Amino acid sequence: MASVTYNHVTKRFGEVVAVSDLTLEVADKEFLVFVGPSGCGKSTSLRMLAGLEEISDGEILIGDRVVNDVPPKDRDIAMVFQSYALYPHMTCYDNMAFGLRLRKVPKEEIDKRVKDAAGILGIENLLDRKPKQLSGGQRQRVAVGRAIVRDPNVFLMDEPLSNLDAKLRVQARSEISKLHQKLGTTFIYVTHDQVEAMTMGTRIAVMKDGFLKQVDSPQTLYDLPGNIFVAGFIGSPSMNFFDAALIEDNGRMYADCKDFRVEIPENRRPVFKPYVGKEVVMGVRPEHVHDPEYQPPGIQPALVEAKVDVLELMGHEITTYFTTERTSFVGRFDPRTKVMVGMTKTTAFDMSRVHLFDKQTELAIR
Ligand code: ATP
């Protein structure tokens, strides 16, 4: 078991800066997820830790040891790739045993470890088969099994579920979470899928354009995103954003979004006060846009009228897309709500949950 430290790590591929000055500590036994859009540098961050890419600047430590110059095989890590990279001509047993044989682990020990791992993953009956005789989900488990038998200090996984269909992915997600609990080892996991990140990570590192934008627990990222990018990336449908001017009128504070004006609750005014008279970006999550008839108790509603543009009936809710003259937004409505495309509807923004961001720096105002 081991912690992992990135200390001002940069990776350049010629002109391209894939990872920029990454500083991050992953605690022993933690499940850290790197998440972000394609090309943000998450795979490169993992591959440098695995020793598959050289580090341009900075240091990576596993435990107390700087591993910049340690060959991959001596780093005591195991990696599961998106492609699984199983040897097609070998049985599952041999695929799992292969690395241990290379290390000259005694035969009985190999047998025990392969069977133990197969037991944990429920693939005992597949050990004699070759990869092409397996389904995608079974292959994924064999690939994980091959990592488990190594008993590594750190598990690395790069999009291991992306080849699975949606249903299997949900199941495999919870299997990997359980595996993490069972093994009690540090896991570092890469995905572009924010739902995967939210459901699996004990902490999530959100990256964009090679930069770490925020690292926090899933709930903190959701409740207190530090900037517009994280606010928009975490949550589905995405947070609604409105360009607004923060104004004071008769001792009250408002976000003036041109088409409508919403009042800032009293308890939140002191924090926002320095921005009065300035342009800000207001963020409201779709789940905080309600039909006033069905709004939950205890919210601080501000009424906003808008035209219903599109409805998506989800069963448990109606995702409702609205437009006003200059903007558009989404609400997640109670399924009992009566809305029709084309009608004008009054919605209730829960202002106790509203986010304001500095328009220039894009940072949350707190
Ligand atoms: P994806 O989800 O698409 O895999 P990612 O977030 O994992 O994306 P990386 O694969 O880490 O992103 O790539 C980060 C940046 O570095 C990208 O701009 C990519 O084009 C660039 N890059 C990655 N590998 C190389 C390479 N071997 N040579 C040149 N550029 C590279």
Side-chain angles (χ1 to χ4, degrees):
M1 273 154 268
S3 59
V4 168
T5 309
Y6 288 86
N7 203 354
H8 296 287
V9 171
T10 293
K11 174 67 186 179
R12 283 180 286 269
F13 293 104
E15 298 281 281
V16 179
V17 184
V19 177
S20 223
D21 197 26
L22 173 64
T23 292
L24 173 66
E25 281 200 38
V26 186
D28 183 26
K29 300 191 177 76
E30 198 173 356
F31 194 138
L32 181 103
V33 181
F34 279 113
V35 70
S38 184
C40 69
K42 52 195 187 298
S43 289
T44 304
S45 302
L46 197 73
R47 290 171 61 80
M48 285 191 285
L49 172 59
L52 303 173
E53 298 287 359
E54 276 189 20
I55 299 163
S56 308
D57 274 318
E59 280 179 341
I60 295 182
L61 290 87
I62 299 179
D64 297 332
R65 179 166 74 139
V66 176
V67 295
N68 289 38
D69 299 320
V70 177
K73 67 177 177 47
D74 299 330
R75 291 190 184 196
D76 214 358
I77 48 162
M79 184 148 168
V80 180
F81 295 91
Q82 182 175 1
S83 63
Y84 309 149
L86 297 173
Y87 297 110
H89 59 287
M90 287 186 195
T91 62
C92 295
Y93 185 101
D94 291 337
N95 263 289
M96 287 165 72
F98 184 72
L100 301 180
R101 286 187 186 134
L102 280 186
R103 278 154 205 267
K104 310 255 184 303
V105 175
K107 210 170 158 204
E108 303 72 48
E109 173 71 15
I110 293 178
D111 193 58
K112 181 176 181 316
R113 288 209 212 168
V114 169
K115 287 187 175 149
D116 284 352
I120 289 172
L121 297 163
I123 51 171
E124 299 101 318
N125 55 338
L126 306 177
L127 290 175
D128 294 333
R129 293 204 206 163
K130 294 196 172 149
K132 69 167 187 294
Q133 298 168 304
L134 302 177
S135 71
Q138 291 167 335
R139 271 181 222 160
Q140 188 262 343
R141 269 180 262 169
V142 175
V144 171
R146 189 175 49 182
I148 294 179
V149 295
R150 306 249 323 259
D151 192 20
N153 271 331
V154 186
F155 265 101
L156 308 184
M157 298 192 176
D158 192 353
E159 306 248 9
L161 308 185
S162 56
N163 293 327
L164 306 183
D165 66 43
K167 194 166 168 216
L168 211 51
R169 215 158 48 217
V170 173
Q171 189 189 330
R173 209 158 73 191
S174 62
E175 278 173 16
I176 291 179
S177 294
K178 274 190 234 156
L179 186 66
H180 172 248
Q181 284 161 19
K182 205 179 285 180
L183 299 178
T185 309
T186 312
F187 273 46
I188 305 186
Y189 188 102
V190 163
T191 179
H192 63 275
D193 180 345
Q194 57 98 12
V195 177
E196 230 168 88
M198 289 293 279
T199 50
M200 297 171 85
T202 45
R203 273 193 318 155
I204 302 174
V206 185
M207 294 189 73
K208 184 194 178 213
D209 299 336
F211 289 94
L212 177 62
K213 300 296 282 185
Q214 188 172 359
V215 55
D216 249 312
S217 69
Q219 198 62 48
T220 306
L221 286 182
Y222 177 84
D223 290 335
L224 298 169
N227 51 70
I228 290 180
F229 177 75
V230 173
F233 191 79
I234 300 289
S236 178
S238 291
M239 186 183 281
N240 301 297
F241 294 111
F242 306 93
D243 284 329
L246 201 60
I247 56 171
E248 270 181 338
D249 192 357
N250 261 332
R252 296 178 160 201
M253 191 186 286
Y254 299 89
D256 187 343
C257 306
K258 292 212 176 105
D259 290 350
F260 57 89
R261 205 191 220 211
V262 284
E263 186 174 352
I264 304 291
E266 201 171 352
N267 61 334
R268 309 200 61 195
R269 287 181 205 159
V271 176
F272 298 151
K273 181 99 179 152
Y275 281 80
V276 169
K278 295 188 180 153
E279 297 291 313
V280 294
V281 174
M282 179 173 82
V284 186
R285 291 204 183 275
E287 48 275 44
H288 302 140
V289 176
H290 302 280
D291 178 345
E293 260 190 72
Y294 298 106
Q295 72 191 31
I299 72 165
Q300 292 175 301
L303 302 182
V304 174
E305 239 183 37
K307 190 164 154 263
V308 178
D309 207 21
V310 177
L311 294 176
E312 287 174 357
L313 309 178
M314 308 293 283
H316 66 294
E317 68 182 28
I318 305 177
T319 313
T320 312
Y321 295 79
F322 293 96
T323 51
T324 61
E325 203 168 308
R326 295 178 191 78
T327 187
S328 57
F329 63 90
V330 188
R332 292 173 59 180
F333 274 17
D334 188 287
R336 291 168 296 174
T337 201
K338 288 173 193 57
V339 269
M340 277 185 306
V341 171
M343 74 188 282
T344 299
K345 170 87 187 152
T346 301
T347 67
F349 285 14
D350 179 2
M351 297 304 289
S352 67
R353 306 297 298 268
V354 90
H355 302 260
L356 289 191
F357 301 92
D358 182 310
K359 195 164 179 175
Q360 258 69 50
T361 63
E362 301 200 343
L363 296 175
I365 302 170
R366 295 221 181 95

